[in-house]
Amino acid sequence: MVMNEEGQLYTIEGIAAAVLILTTVYLVLSSTMVFTPGETHIYEMPLEQLVDDVLAAMDQPVTGYESKSPLELAIENNDTATFKNTFLHYSNMRTGPDDTLQFNATISYYDGTQVNTIPFAKSRDYNRENAVKVTRWVNINGASPNLPSDLNLGGQNHTVLLEVLLWRG
C-alpha cells in the first residue's frame, strides 16, 4: 500500500469541512433569538382582524333606519352605551368562555382648518402596552339633532375616522 500526498490532502480537507460545519451548527443553535417589532406584529394580527371584522359587521345597514348602520346611528346619536354594548358583544362572541377584551374608541374629524380628535366610548382606561389599533371611515349625517357638538359642522354630511384601540385585560 502506497501513501501519497493526494490522499492526505483529501483527508485534511474533509476534516476541515467537518469542523467548519459543526462550528456553524453550534453557533446557530446557541445564539439567542431576537424578535423585531415586525415579527411581534404577527401575534397581534388575529386581534386586529377581529376588531376589523366587528367594525365591518357594525357598519352594515339595518333595514327600517333609512339604510343606516348601527355604527352610523351610534355616532350620530352620540350613543356611547349602545356602541360599547354592541362592540363588546360582537368582539367577545366565541364558542368558549367570554374573552377579556377592552377598548377605547375616539373620533377624528376635519373641521375645515385642522384635524380634531374627541373621545367617543371606552370600556376601561388604557394602561397596557400590547394593544392593536383599527380605524374605519364612517359617513354621518351632519344634520342629526343628537350629534355631538364637536361634530356639528354646519349641518352638512361628512366623514369621520373612528379609531378603536383594543387590548386584552
Side-chain angles (χ1 to χ4, degrees), residues 67-112:
S67 298
K68 292 206 178 233
S69 71
L71 192 55
E72 290 173 308
L73 291 171
I75 294 173
E76 288 177 4
N77 295 322
N78 199 18
D79 192 356
T80 58
T82 299
F83 176 84
K84 175 182 176 181
N85 292 336
T86 306
F87 184 83
L88 287 176
H89 174 70
Y90 285 174
S91 60
N92 286 322
M93 266 206 261
R94 331 181 324 161
T95 56
D98 281 350
D99 207 342
T100 58
L101 298 177
Q102 303 296 325
F103 78 95
N104 189 356
T106 58
I107 295 175
S108 298
Y109 64 96
Y110 182 69
D111 66 2

Side-chain angles (χ1 to χ4, degrees), residues 1 5 7 14 22-24 31 43 73-74 88 95 113 116 119 124 127 141-142 146 160:
M1 198 156 133
E5 292 178 9
L22 289 174
T23 304
T24 303
S31 66
Y43 299 113
L73 291 171
L88 287 176
T95 56
T113 57
N116 298 312
R124 187 185 315 168
N127 60 356
N141 180 0
N146 298 324
V160 297

Side-chain angles (χ1 to χ4, degrees), residues 3 21 56 62 73 77 79 84 94 115 117 121 134-135 143 148 153 156-157 165:
M3 287 183 84
I21 290 171
V62 176
L73 291 171
N77 295 322
D79 192 356
K84 175 182 176 181
R94 331 181 324 161
V115 175
T117 302
V134 176
T135 59
L153 303 174
Q156 51 188 313
N157 295 344
L165 192 65

Side-chain angles (χ1 to χ4, degrees), residues 99-152:
D99 207 342
T100 58
L101 298 177
Q102 303 296 325
F103 78 95
N104 189 356
T106 58
I107 295 175
S108 298
Y109 64 96
Y110 182 69
D111 66 2
T113 57
Q114 65 183 6
V115 175
N116 298 312
T117 302
I118 58 171
F120 181 57
K122 65 181 177 181
S123 60
R124 187 185 315 168
D125 287 330
Y126 176 66
N127 60 356
R128 308 236 345 186
E129 288 183 25
N130 298 331
V132 296
K133 184 189 314 182
V134 176
T135 59
R136 185 157 187 99
W137 291 102
V138 182
N139 295 317
I140 60 170
N141 180 0
S144 178
N146 298 324
L147 197 64
S149 60
D150 291 344
L151 295 179
N152 193 354

Side-chain angles (χ1 to χ4, degrees), residues 45-60 71 87 90-91 134-136 166:
M45 286 177 69
L47 191 57
E48 189 174 334
Q49 185 62 48
L50 172 72
V51 180
D52 191 51
D53 290 345
V54 167
L55 290 179
M58 290 178 68
D59 203 15
Q60 295 302 311
L71 192 55
F87 184 83
Y90 285 174
S91 60
V134 176
T135 59
R136 185 157 187 99
L166 188 83

